[in-house]
Amino acid sequence: MKETPKEKKIHKNLIPGQMSIEGFLGKDKRNYSEIISTDRAELDRLDLTTKMIADRLQYFTDSAFESYDSSIIIDEKYEVNYKSFRGKLICPFGHPGVYRKGMISLMNLGNGIEINWTPLNIHMISDHCFFEGKGSIHRLEPMILKDAIF
Ligand SMILES: [Zn+2]
């Protein structure tokens, strides 16, 4: 399938250098639309939706935002830390909005699973079903998310 100019531009934004030093694809050689459709099928198998995941990540993000770089315990089960950085990021899919730079880490105290994400990850999940490519530092594996935050 031939890429449209818009798809070409998105791809360029996702590889290292254009929008972020590391890029969003990691070692993944697949086209981003294939990464998205594979994850969409995975969500169906896991009985999850992008909205469920994004809402949950947003809840932890908002709850931890006031913690100012120290960890807090949420709902007696999740240890969450919000590190904010100066600056803003824009969506590689070409949306007009800007997203805070920051990194949220969560440890599920029940099973020890640890994940981290950025505010941009939440947007890319909710609006694009994009969890980043395999091997990308902010790749969020749906199966791991299920065990970590639900
Ligand atoms: Zn977007």
Side-chain angles (χ1 to χ4, degrees), residues 116-134:
N116 56 67
W117 66 89
T118 69
L120 181 59
N121 278 125
I122 302 176
H123 165 74
M124 292 194 297
I125 290 171
S126 81
D127 284 39
H128 309 288
C129 192
F130 184 61
F131 294 77
E132 304 204 7
K134 302 263 184 193

Side-chain angles (χ1 to χ4, degrees), residues 26 32 38-39 62 69 74 112 142 146-147 150:
Y32 72 89
T38 305
D39 282 332
D62 293 343
D69 292 346
I74 297 171
K146 181 168 185 161
D147 289 336
F150 291 101

Side-chain angles (χ1 to χ4, degrees), residues 17-136:
Q18 283 290 319
M19 280 204 179
S20 85
I21 296 162
E22 305 92 4
F24 300 91
L25 298 176
K27 296 185 196 75
D28 215 315
K29 294 279 177 263
R30 296 172 297 168
N31 182 285
Y32 72 89
S33 57
E34 195 187 335
I35 296 173
I36 289 171
S37 56
T38 305
D39 282 332
R40 205 179 284 285
E42 174 78 354
L43 291 187
D44 284 348
R45 263 196 302 278
L46 295 171
D47 224 2
L48 289 174
T49 64
T50 52
K51 181 172 180 357
M52 284 162 72
I53 294 171
D55 285 354
R56 200 74 180 131
L57 293 177
Q58 192 64 52
Y59 165 71
F60 290 120
T61 301
D62 293 343
S63 306
F65 185 62
E66 303 287 333
S67 69
Y68 296 104
D69 292 346
S70 58
S71 296
I72 60 162
I73 308 287
I74 297 171
D75 300 338
E76 296 173 11
K77 192 177 163 192
Y78 307 95
E79 186 176 338
V80 185
N81 178 275
Y82 190 131
K83 270 196 182 57
S84 39
F85 305 108
R86 294 171 76 90
K88 305 264 197 236
L89 293 169
I90 58 170
C91 173
F93 293 88
H95 280 124
V98 293
Y99 302 89
R100 284 174 198 281
K101 271 193 182 173
M103 165 120 110
I104 303 96
S105 319
L106 174 145
M107 155 89 89
N108 181 315
L109 299 172
N111 57 24
I113 295 175
E114 204 175 345
I115 57 167
N116 56 67
W117 66 89
T118 69
L120 181 59
N121 278 125
I122 302 176
H123 165 74
M124 292 194 297
I125 290 171
S126 81
D127 284 39
H128 309 288
C129 192
F130 184 61
F131 294 77
E132 304 204 7
K134 302 263 184 193
S136 176

